[in-house]
Amino acid sequence: MIKVVDMGYQFVNVGGFEANRPEGSGDYLFLFLRCPTEIFLDGAYQWVPADTYIIFGKGIPQIYRKWDAHFINDWIHFDFDCDCADKYFEKLGVPLNSPIVLPNNTEITEMTSGLQIDFFSNHKENYEQILSEKADALFQKFAELYHFSNEYSEKKYNYRQSFTKLRQRILNRQYCPDSSEEIAASMNLSVSYFQHLYKDFFGNSVYKDIISARIEQAAHLLGHTEYSISRIASLCGYDNVEHFSRIFKKYKGRSPHNYRKWVGISKPSQGKRM
């Protein structure tokens, strides 16, 4: 279990700042430097650019400074309830005590902001468990982006964020495209390149995600409305009811009619709206 000890988000130190902890802080430190900073590493000070991350291990010197302007950073002091932290990051494949720059860190900063909100809401039930799970999710995402940035070019990396948002909209049924051609055109990409990137990023074709989203929407309508099956098919993008039924059974293991009986609505009314 990860224990979040203290943290700050977009914390501004007016006029500069110096951290001088030769023996560390007694815990681990996840640090995001929002401005160029001098860090003492490998026996000497070195400048690192803005938007640099570093995860200090327990007992490792934490020495960094910036005096020529305001010092702005995000930081999370954390520890583990077992002697397993180094193995945790070793398993993630993320180096400790080394500067890391991600081409795009929006997802990490958003997750840090969300974690801070929960950190200062300590009246919540299961407070420590919530923080532990969110901190773990943050580090897992950080590792994913770290490996992704090492594997792909910056241009391809930058596509990832827009593709991730696209996939979320599709799976949440906020966007219901008819085809890959429609999406590729909206992103000014060729269809083949769009399909290649999508499959490369998520290990799944956009076609399968569109179908999955349609079937989940159909399952919701079958279980929570009295719409006819033909109307549900139409609402989910299927003109042919038989084709819809075959696809639905393939994904859910039951025909739409049997699925509706299974969830407790056995006599749908053709015209009634819910």
Side-chain angles (χ1 to χ4, degrees):
M1 183 172 179
I2 301 173
K3 181 181 179 181
V4 179
V5 179
D6 200 3
M7 69 174 298
Y9 176 74
Q10 290 185 335
F11 199 88
V12 180
N13 296 270
V14 177
F17 176 80
E18 180 177 20
N20 188 6
R21 310 180 191 113
E23 298 180 359
S25 53
D27 49 29
Y28 292 80
L29 172 61
F30 180 78
L31 182 65
F32 177 48
L33 302 165
R34 292 178 174 267
C35 54
T37 304
E38 277 190 295
I39 302 182
F40 191 80
L41 294 171
D42 300 324
Y45 276 102
Q46 57 179 280
W47 278 99
V48 297
D51 298 336
T52 293
Y53 288 93
I54 185 168
I55 305 173
F56 286 105
K58 196 170 185 177
I60 299 299
Q62 299 171 5
I63 302 173
Y64 49 94
R65 65 192 182 188
K66 180 177 177 63
W67 288 118
D68 57 343
H70 297 339
F71 177 73
I72 308 171
N73 66 337
D74 302 350
W75 44 272
I76 304 172
H77 285 281
F78 64 97
D79 212 335
F80 292 75
D81 60 1
C82 61
D83 187 21
C84 59
D86 287 358
K87 291 182 179 179
Y88 173 83
F89 286 104
E90 182 180 338
K91 185 176 180 180
L92 290 180
V94 175
L96 298 177
N97 316 309
S98 298
I100 297 172
V101 177
L102 301 179
N104 190 310
N105 53 46
T106 302
E107 291 176 86
I108 301 302
T109 57
E110 288 176 351
M111 294 177 76
T112 304
S113 175
L115 180 63
Q116 186 195 43
I117 291 171
D118 285 316
F119 180 75
F120 289 105
S121 301
N122 55 11
H123 61 280
K124 289 185 176 181
E125 187 178 356
N126 301 320
Y127 169 72
E128 291 186 353
Q129 184 66 34
I130 291 172
L131 291 183
S132 177
E133 291 176 356
K134 287 204 167 186
D136 179 58
L138 188 155
F139 295 141
Q140 295 282 349
K141 176 60 67 174
F142 184 85
E144 176 188 335
L145 297 180
Y146 169 71
H147 294 298
F148 195 91
S149 66
N150 288 337
E151 184 176 353
Y152 295 105
S153 66
E154 182 173 350
K155 180 179 180 181
K156 198 171 183 180
Y157 181 100
N158 288 334
Y159 275 131
R160 185 187 180 281
Q161 186 177 11
S162 59
F163 271 70
T164 299
K165 290 181 178 179
L166 166 68
R167 192 179 195 221
Q168 289 174 340
R169 291 175 63 208
I170 290 173
L171 294 179
N172 291 336
R173 292 292 289 169
Q174 297 170 312
Y175 176 43
C176 309
D178 291 325
S179 64
S180 298
E181 288 79 6
E182 175 187 325
I183 311 172
S186 70
M187 301 181 77
N188 295 317
L189 298 173
S190 70
V191 175
S192 60
Y193 188 53
F194 165 76
Q195 292 174 333
H196 169 75
L197 287 177
Y198 197 98
K199 182 70 177 291
D200 203 17
F201 290 160
F202 308 120
N204 204 24
S205 71
V206 66
Y207 173 76
K208 287 185 178 180
D209 277 347
I210 291 172
I211 298 302
S212 177
R214 288 178 176 180
I215 295 305
E216 290 303 320
Q217 176 72 355
H220 175 80
L221 293 173
L222 286 166
H224 295 84
T225 77
E226 294 184 358
Y227 293 153
S228 68
I229 290 174
S230 61
R231 187 176 183 200
I232 289 174
S234 178
L235 288 172
C236 295
Y238 294 94
D239 297 327
N240 186 300
V241 177
E242 292 182 359
H243 178 61
F244 162 71
S245 297
R246 286 196 300 271
I247 297 294
F248 189 92
K249 186 174 182 179
K250 179 180 178 181
Y251 275 75
K252 291 296 184 180
R254 291 179 171 86
S255 68
H257 176 73
N258 288 335
Y259 183 88
R260 172 167 263 164
K261 290 177 64 176
W262 180 62
V263 296
I265 299 179
S266 58
K267 294 182 180 180
S269 171
Q270 291 283 338
K272 187 175 180 179
R273 292 176 178 266
M274 296 293 287

